[in-house]
Amino acid sequence: MIFSRIFTPSHQSPKPEKRIQAVENLSPDKAQEKTILHELAFNDEDASVSLAALEKLNSFVLWLKMSQIAKQSRVKKAAGKKVNAALLGEGDVTLSRKETFSFLTETANADLVVQLVPQMLKKDPALLKDDCLANTLIEKVAKPSFTQFVFLEGASHQLKTQLINAHSDVSDLQKLAKKVSDDVLASQIDARIHAIKEAAQRPVELKKQLTLGLSKYQALLDKSDVETIDEKRNELESELSGLFAQIDLLNPEERADYEEKRARIGEQLERYLSRIRPAWEEKQQASQRANTKALCEQQLIHAKEQVTWLYNNRLCEATLADVATVNESVRGVEATLEQLARLDGEIVTDKRITEIKRAVDALNEQLDRFSMQQQYGQKLLIKLQLLEDIAAKIDAVSNSDLDEATRDENVKEVSATPNEQSRANIDAQGQSGSDAALKAEFDDARQAYKLLEREINAIPKALIKRFNAATKRVNAKERAQKSKENDQVKYVRKHISVIDNLIAQGKFRVAISKFAKLQESYNSLPDSAKKYVEKRFEKTSGEVSRLEGWQDYLAAPRKPALVEEAKNLANTDADNIKQRSEAIKYLRKQWLSLTPTSSNSDGGSDDVLLQEQFDNALEKAFEPCRAHYAKLDEQRAAAREQRVSLIASVKAIDLNMPEPELMKMFDRASKQWHSAGQVEREIYEQLKQEWKAVSSPIQAKVNQWQSDNQAQKRDLVAQAQQLAVEDDVSSAADKAQQLQSEWKQIGHAGKREESRLWAEFKAANDTVFERLKAERKVQSNAFNSLVDSLFVQLDDVDINSDETTFSQSINDVRAQLTDLPKAQRTKVERKIEVFESKRADQAKNVQLQARLARARALISLLQLSIGEGSGDEQVLAETLGKRWASVLGQSNGSAASQHNRQWLTVALEVATGMPSPEADASIRSSVQLQMMTSKLEKGEAAAAPDILADWLSYDSISEADNPLLQRVIAVIDANPDIVT
């Protein structure tokens, strides 16, 4: 027994220090010693010994096992840190990738995976690129937050696509969409959300369509037309077959219900059709007979029109094809009559059918006589052409007379000699005889036409129209000739009366002047008309001859004065060309009024001299006018050159260029054309024709382009006006903006139309946007009212209520934010954040007070342990909490820690930044060094709560520990948060 105590192995020593030294001497490479190390690691009561054995074995499997089964918190915590360090690639325990994957997928629980994976990703960003591992971890954890983490932090693109497609929660996908920055993934998420919503909506849409289709099917029972029912039934059966092919989207009860309805309606429809079909078929037969009769009537009308057309329009030039076409229309009536006869025997007693048959016989008879009638028609056409030729000759003669009269009027200023007047009268008489001969020839031709006309049953309207036109033309010429003669006689009578009145009033000069014109009009009268005014004319002629003798006597003193006026005018400067020209015309008119109008009057040598002086003076006076007119001629020449150049430039324009450019170039040239100077009228007319010739193609193309633009813009105006009455104002406003964009793309529609169309388009758009403005105002008021009600609802929330009640109240408010615009929603969310912030601050304050209460409770219990202070230990223990009460209860004098209480006191002061007494300076340095070493090796140093826990559980507190206790109380009082 004594020897067994003497030779007991050191690893079995009761002292932990010796067992730790024994561990240092054991080798894990030896099987027996490895077994001892295992025994110490798993079964030794001292945490330091277990940790030393585990360090010696340094196996990940052992560390992992101890992190799961260790009874001592220190060992368990250290083993857990060792496992974590190994998984993170830190420390002296190394794992292969396969071992890491195996641990994560097989050994680690879900919480550990959630804890480790983010840290492992920092060391190995490609960890989750393995889709198999990522999928396994997602399935193992089975939490949306972890799945989202894997998606955002490390999953491959392929896995992300799989996760998106496997996700079925719209809210989670929407949250995910806000966090991704990849446009492709965002579009995939949006597509998945759309697909989920669409899939959720498909059964609803299918039920709507099935209900609508079955309703239509049921509605067939209200129709009476069998043909329509059959047609609609086939359409609906096809439609319903397509819908029932998707019926698996519905639940079994709904499927059975819809299938039963379809079968029931089908049976009802079959019974309904079998009941109404016989009566419908009978009605159809009656309708067919009525339709055939109506067709026969229409064909008869058409056949009559065709026969009438053949006689009226094609009598003279009809071909065999024309006759065959008309004959075919008559045969069509006969065929329809035969069809009626086959339908039933009603045709035998139908009076109207008998009338139709008689009409068909009459049409056949007209067709049989058409050949002979056509021969008469051709002869009649020849007679009509002869009649028209004669009428044309009469027209030509009449027009010749008119031209002659016009020519005489144009040269009426030139005095005609008596011989010329006589010759003109002879020509007029000869022409009158020619007119009479042509009139007689026309009457004979008309009589021959009338005789042949009687042989034709129906004269073509075109021939009648031509005959009437020729007859009216000749009659009109006769009436015009008679009217002309009457007008001439009236004119002569009127002017004879005027001249007689002038003579009676003493206005001899005017009377003499007017008689010269009257004499021309009288000489142009035919002999048949002269007899009406001959006596009065001869009487007036004698009076005028007597007055002309007096004119020469009176004009002698006036002419020299006119010559002096003309000379004075010539010697003055021409400041105003128009006034100078008017003055010259006035003097010339005065001179002519003093000159004898008779063609037989001869002036003396003095008159000749005065005439010469007068002419020379007016010529000199006209020289400034001539220079002015020459300058105008130069300006006209320049304007002409400019216009010729414009014509050439317009001619060179390429018609194939785009219409806007073409219109711009042509408008510029057109403005230059209109602003160019004046030219002679004849030249202008010629240039105008050339301008039109070169500008017409351009103008036509521009007009066509503008016309197309007008049509497009009219269509846009119509669409805009339609939008003004649409119910959906927002949609209408969007469409209106689109129409405005389209308007800008369309070219000009022409000056007038562009302004008018724009005014209409703008008015329609203004109506839409005014409605939108009003609607948005109403919506804004409604949203503001909702915001006010939500503010009231938030004000009623009790910030001190329990978490469930508070969350429910806030969620109720949040649920109503979805319909609000962003601005109002943000406003409410800010107030919610204020409420939540206040509650969070309150919760923090409660936690702080709880920590302070725990700290004070711990201080009180420590003081009670040495007989100081006061208080109920049970109440203080409850305030302290289970964890610290349990730690404090372990102070049973076991002294399990590897460090003494003084060392732990200094360590606690170091960890909390509190000063230590000078006597403990060396211990403080040792503590600081050890903490630094631990932090470098293990990544972290001992925390103040752990040190405090070791201090409390080290041993029971005695009076000797009072100084240390006071220091610990001071630390707790200064740092109450270490009692967490």
Side-chain angles (χ1 to χ4, degrees), residues 75-90:
V75 174
K76 190 171 186 178
K77 183 176 180 181
K81 291 180 179 179
K82 204 73 172 180
V83 170
N84 292 345
L87 291 171
L88 296 175
E90 301 173 352

Side-chain angles (χ1 to χ4, degrees), residues 734-783:
D734 294 339
K735 292 177 183 177
Q737 291 180 344
Q738 184 178 358
L739 292 180
Q740 290 176 0
S741 300
E742 293 178 14
W743 182 281
K744 294 177 182 178
Q745 302 300 321
I746 301 173
H748 203 269
K751 294 181 180 178
R752 293 183 180 178
E753 289 296 319
E754 181 69 22
S755 299
R756 184 181 65 80
L757 290 172
W758 171 247
E760 295 178 3
F761 184 71
K762 184 176 181 297
N765 278 272
D766 289 345
T767 302
V768 173
F769 289 111
E770 285 297 329
R771 290 181 59 205
L772 178 63
K773 184 177 179 181
E775 184 178 90
R776 285 181 175 174
K777 185 175 181 180
V778 173
Q779 290 179 349
S780 178
N781 294 336
F783 290 146

